[in-house]
Amino acid sequence: MVDNDFIASLKRARTYGLGEFLEIIGELSQESTKKGALDRKHKELITLGIALAKDCHRCIDIHTQAALKLGATDTEMLQVRRVALYSQASPEHHDTDLWKAWVDSWREFALSKGCVDRRCRELVGLGIALVQQNARLIDMHVKAAREFGASPEEIFEVMPIALLMDGAPALSQIPQLVHAIEQSEPVEAAA
């Protein structure tokens, strides 16, 4: 179960002004690099996915090097690039045959074997969805991450990364993330 105090804190964050926001950013820059529910390598892979989606070349270079220093392989980073590519190719309109085909294609990719586990692929996708402010993809990635064994704490750890990479626009997605986690069912970890 998600800690109710934590959810209440996230909901309060919607009312913060610039001073509180700058203080949070300072804390996030430290928090997003610590080992928590997610290890540092996975946090760097998520950050790299967001950097790719934002097409920030400097960020891509920084987070590629950081991921390599933490033991990420070229193959793992290639899979993160594929997640970013899929996310960028997501159709804007969600009630179309193209959307259904995209979801099927994403699911096939997410279920495929690879060196980046399925849970992490969904968390990379979630980070990208947060900075894209795409409620439908946030819901989809949270649900799938839970299906692949991600805890609410692991899912919440994506938010500081998204905030650090995108600032206030990502902050606006806290209510959507809270809602998606509240709606997700805990599921036994998938193989």
Side-chain angles (χ1 to χ4, degrees), residues 71-140:
T73 66
D74 289 336
T75 308
E76 286 174 316
M77 289 188 288
L78 178 61
Q79 281 196 327
V80 169
R81 289 178 187 283
R82 287 182 181 150
V83 172
L85 180 64
Y86 266 103
S87 296
Q88 296 298 91
S90 163
E92 183 177 340
H93 302 289
H94 297 236
D95 295 324
T96 65
D97 290 336
L98 183 59
W99 169 255
K100 292 173 187 137
W102 181 88
V103 168
D104 290 343
S105 181
W106 168 261
R107 191 71 175 163
E108 185 177 319
F109 169 70
L111 289 170
S112 67
K113 291 190 184 233
C115 57
V116 174
D117 67 49
R118 296 164 181 148
R119 179 185 109 282
C120 185
R121 286 182 225 175
E122 294 295 344
L123 295 175
V124 171
L126 174 60
I128 294 168
L130 289 166
V131 300
Q132 290 177 336
Q133 302 177 45
N134 189 321
R136 184 107 180 241
L137 289 179
I138 292 169
D139 290 343
M140 183 188 90

